[in-house]
Amino acid sequence: MIIRKSRQEIEGMARAGRVVAGTLALLRDHTEPGAVLRDLDTLAEDYIRSHGGTPTSLGYKGYPAAICISPNELIVHGIPGAYALRDGDIVTYDIGVTLDGLIADSAWTFPVGDVSEQALRLLATGERALYAGIAQARAGNRVGYISAAVQDAVEGAGFAVVKALVGHGVGRHYHEDPQVPNYGPPASGRVLAPGMTLAIEPMITAGSSEIVLHEDEWSISTADGSLSGHFEHTVAITEGEARILTRQPVETAVSASARTGAAT
Ligand code: MF3
Ligand code: CO
């Protein structure tokens, strides 16, 4: 069952979304060689709480940290620990914030210092795929329009989408219907209507789309050890273009060019 939100609920999700976006911007500014993931998690949690929110992931199905931090070959659900970022890494922060009972969810992958040409292309492709999906998130379109647009953008650039993990509805619950796959035909899934709120989240790899679950029973990486990127926004379906509820205050150069389709 897809839960459509009222105007007030969407405004509430946008307030949660501003805290999510602020957290991502803060983490981006602290993304440098030597930064310890556990410290970045604390930084994120302090920011979230000082802005009136609670970290949605903490305690969700027993998850033990405030946010998920997934470097390099980790795709999602990395538990921040003692690892210190190194020059040439890429790192994904995935953040849910609950504010007044309403949730927003966003993830972003950033380069650490100087990264490879391939890594930069992967990041630009993930961003471009996210915005291609969002462009299809319109009333009257099926969920499959989003899925197909993401898949085309990723595979067209020579990368792969992870098929075992999907986007989702979001609102008073972290994960609601519908599922939003990052692959599949346009003529699939439910028809979108105003008031629906979706977390659209391409998870992509530079190699195969196979995944492995680690012994901590949370972190998931690419089976072949290839790099992975993850770009997620929470959006509200409107009468026109989707409204992005987790837009970051400052866009990276790479995301600005991804949005306009310029070559990177
Ligand atoms: N934020 C994740 C998502 O994009 C969910 C993380 S659940 C957790 O759907 F428990 F691992 F935090
Ligand atoms: Co999500």
Side-chain angles (χ1 to χ4, degrees):
M1 181 201 44
I2 300 180
I3 305 167
R4 289 166 69 175
K5 280 75 180 180
S6 67
R7 207 173 284 276
Q8 292 93 318
E9 285 174 313
I10 289 173
E11 290 311 321
M13 288 178 66
R15 280 193 291 277
R18 279 193 282 276
V19 180
V20 173
T23 313
L24 274 172
L26 178 69
L27 290 170
R28 181 197 57 208
D29 291 346
H30 285 80
T31 297
E32 57 196 13
V36 175
L37 302 192
R38 189 187 288 122
D39 298 339
L40 295 172
D41 186 71
T42 303
L43 189 70
E45 179 164 7
D46 290 348
Y47 180 92
I48 292 166
R49 292 194 190 280
S50 72
H51 287 77
T54 54
T56 317
S57 295
L58 183 64
Y60 179 79
K61 297 186 178 172
Y63 183 75
I67 66 170
C68 301
I69 308 185
S70 307
N72 298 325
E73 75 282 1
L74 287 194
I75 305 167
V76 289
H77 303 170
I79 300 172
Y83 183 78
L85 294 174
R86 297 156 81 159
D87 189 57
D89 282 354
I90 59 174
V91 61
T92 300
Y93 306 109
D94 188 351
I95 301 168
V97 167
T98 308
L99 193 66
D100 299 329
L102 292 161
I103 297 166
D105 183 11
S106 178
W108 214 260
T109 309
F110 297 100
V112 184
D114 284 327
V115 305
S116 69
E117 223 21 72
Q118 184 200 44
L120 279 182
R121 275 203 315 117
L122 184 76
L123 303 189
T125 299
E127 294 177 13
R128 193 173 290 128
L130 170 62
Y131 289 112
I134 291 173
Q136 296 301 322
R138 300 179 71 98
N141 283 358
R142 289 187 181 277
V143 170
Y145 282 59
I146 300 170
S147 309
V150 168
Q151 183 175 21
D152 282 356
V154 175
E155 293 180 356
F159 295 119
V161 295
V162 173
K163 296 185 173 167
L165 301 164
V166 297
H168 51 92
V170 56
R172 294 192 182 275
H173 309 277
Y174 213 170
H175 296 120
E176 300 181 351
D177 287 340
Q179 293 199 347
V180 184
N182 294 304
Y183 69 98
S188 60
R190 294 280 302 271
V191 175
L192 299 174
M196 292 181 182
T197 44
L198 304 176
I200 299 174
E201 50 178 318
M203 289 153 272
I204 76 172
T205 86
S208 103
S209 55
E210 297 307 307
I211 65 172
V212 288
L213 177 67
H214 289 256
E215 271 176 12
D216 61 18
E217 295 201 17
W218 278 106
S219 43
I220 292 176
S221 67
T222 57
D224 60 2
S226 60
L227 291 178
S228 174
H230 180 194
F231 296 86
E232 174 180 32
H233 272 312
T234 295
V235 307
I237 307 301
T238 72
E239 300 287 350
E241 281 184 17
R243 176 175 170 196
I244 298 175
L245 303 178
T246 48
R247 197 190 287 287
Q248 288 169 53
V250 181
E251 283 185 303
T252 60
V254 120
S255 72
S257 61
R259 271 157 51 66
T260 57
T264 50

